[in-house]
Amino acid sequence: MASTTDWNPVLRGEFAKPYWHSLMAFVHEERQAHEVFPPHDDVFAALHLTPLADVKVLILGQDPYHGPGQAHGLCFSVRPGIRTPPSLQNIHKELAEDLDVPIPDHGNLEAWARQGVLLLNTTLTVRAHEAASHQRRGWETFTEEVINSVNAKEERVVFILWGAAARKKRSIIDRHRHAVIESPHPSPLSAHKGFFGTKPFSRANEALADAGRAPVDWALPPL
């Protein structure tokens, strides 16, 4: 993690813990033997693009995408020129319905990240074509510390939790100070079971406005 980010002093203590050394050794060995996503330089992209001081919304994913060229360190986001995955297509549909904005022709969410939307996965690496292959190796311990650091902020943050794995984290969030928006996952398997129609984007902006914080411009500009 680059020393210039304000996350470094907050998370530095994790890097001395035994689980971290085991995790880094595991990821290194995986990269020697297999293709691993995202690329090494993108693993901490969410923390580099969204400083802790700027976080106003946290969207929590699970695994990075495990197809070629997709994952670049931001949950649900893909690189420019990569076909929009089905879960993100459903997020775009809900966004269009919620805020009456056009569905973008790309799946890159960096514009959100630069406005204070932390796009965090609970697991930060994955073996190519093998979902969940890097779960329970230590990443969850690290990313829970990221969530704890956001939870410790005095100003209101909106936590958007989609799917069962993300919703389990609500127990560590101070819901007196922060806002929690949760629903089924936007994947095609569950989106019609309660994701569509939840209006998470307008609700997030309302919660920010209620706390005197500036809203997020959720409309994604063309690339």
Side-chain angles (χ1 to χ4, degrees), residues 13 113-114 121 143 157 160:
R114 296 184 189 282
N121 279 311
T143 54
V157 175
I160 297 179

Side-chain angles (χ1 to χ4, degrees), residues 1-2 27 31 36-50 64-65 67-75 77-80 82 108 110 113-114 118-121 123-126 139 142:
M1 200 183 310
V27 174
R31 289 196 187 277
V36 171
F37 300 129
H40 177 272
D41 289 347
D42 289 334
V43 171
F44 299 107
L47 303 182
H48 290 143
L49 281 174
T50 310
Y65 293 123
Q70 294 179 314
H72 65 123
L74 308 179
C75 74
S77 180
V78 291
R79 292 184 177 283
I82 298 296
N108 186 270
E110 288 185 24
R114 296 184 189 282
L118 182 62
L119 297 165
L120 182 69
N121 279 311
T123 302
L124 299 189
T125 56
V126 68
W139 279 127
F142 177 74

Side-chain angles (χ1 to χ4, degrees), residues 186-210:
S187 90
L189 296 175
S190 56
H192 291 283
K193 298 177 182 178
F195 171 75
F196 288 126
T198 54
K199 300 185 180 300
F201 306 101
S202 60
R203 288 167 61 198
N205 279 351
E206 288 167 9
L208 292 171
D210 286 346

Side-chain angles (χ1 to χ4, degrees), residues 12-88:
R12 186 182 294 129
E14 300 303 296
F15 309 147
K17 294 181 179 178
Y19 88 85
W20 182 261
H21 296 293
S22 296
L23 171 62
M24 291 298 99
F26 166 73
V27 174
H28 176 74
E29 291 168 4
E30 283 284 286
R31 289 196 187 277
Q32 297 300 308
H34 307 280
E35 190 170 17
V36 171
F37 300 129
H40 177 272
D41 289 347
D42 289 334
V43 171
F44 299 107
L47 303 182
H48 290 143
L49 281 174
T50 310
L52 177 58
D54 294 349
V55 176
K56 58 177 66 174
V57 176
L58 189 157
I59 298 178
L60 189 60
Q62 191 167 1
D63 268 6
Y65 293 123
H66 54 77
Q70 294 179 314
H72 65 123
L74 308 179
C75 74
F76 295 107
S77 180
V78 291
R79 292 184 177 283
I82 298 296
R83 182 178 179 182
T84 303
S87 291
L88 184 53

Side-chain angles (χ1 to χ4, degrees), residues 85-160:
S87 291
L88 184 53
Q89 290 179 28
N90 287 336
I91 292 169
H92 285 343
K93 290 175 185 175
E94 179 62 20
L95 173 62
E97 183 68 23
D98 184 3
L99 296 179
D100 194 27
V101 296
I103 293 177
D105 60 359
H106 64 86
N108 186 270
L109 305 181
E110 288 185 24
W112 292 357
R114 296 184 189 282
Q115 293 182 73
V117 180
L118 182 62
L119 297 165
L120 182 69
N121 279 311
T122 53
T123 302
L124 299 189
T125 56
V126 68
R127 188 187 296 180
H129 312 297
E130 294 188 38
S133 52
H134 286 191
Q135 290 180 12
R136 295 178 294 279
R137 293 287 186 165
W139 279 127
E140 294 89 347
T141 302
F142 177 74
T143 54
E144 187 158 299
E145 191 58 31
V146 173
I147 296 168
N148 287 335
S149 300
V150 175
N151 184 58
K153 287 168 66 81
E154 289 299 320
E155 61 268 47
R156 175 176 288 175
V157 175
V158 180
F159 290 80
I160 297 179

Side-chain angles (χ1 to χ4, degrees), residues 151-198:
N151 184 58
K153 287 168 66 81
E154 289 299 320
E155 61 268 47
R156 175 176 288 175
V157 175
V158 180
F159 290 80
I160 297 179
L161 309 178
W162 289 328
R167 296 170 84 171
K168 290 178 181 176
K169 300 297 183 182
R170 64 178 174 268
S171 63
I172 64 172
I173 299 166
D174 181 349
R175 283 168 281 177
H176 296 290
R177 186 160 71 251
H178 303 306
V180 175
I181 297 171
E182 56 180 305
S183 76
H185 196 275
S187 90
L189 296 175
S190 56
H192 291 283
K193 298 177 182 178
F195 171 75
F196 288 126
T198 54

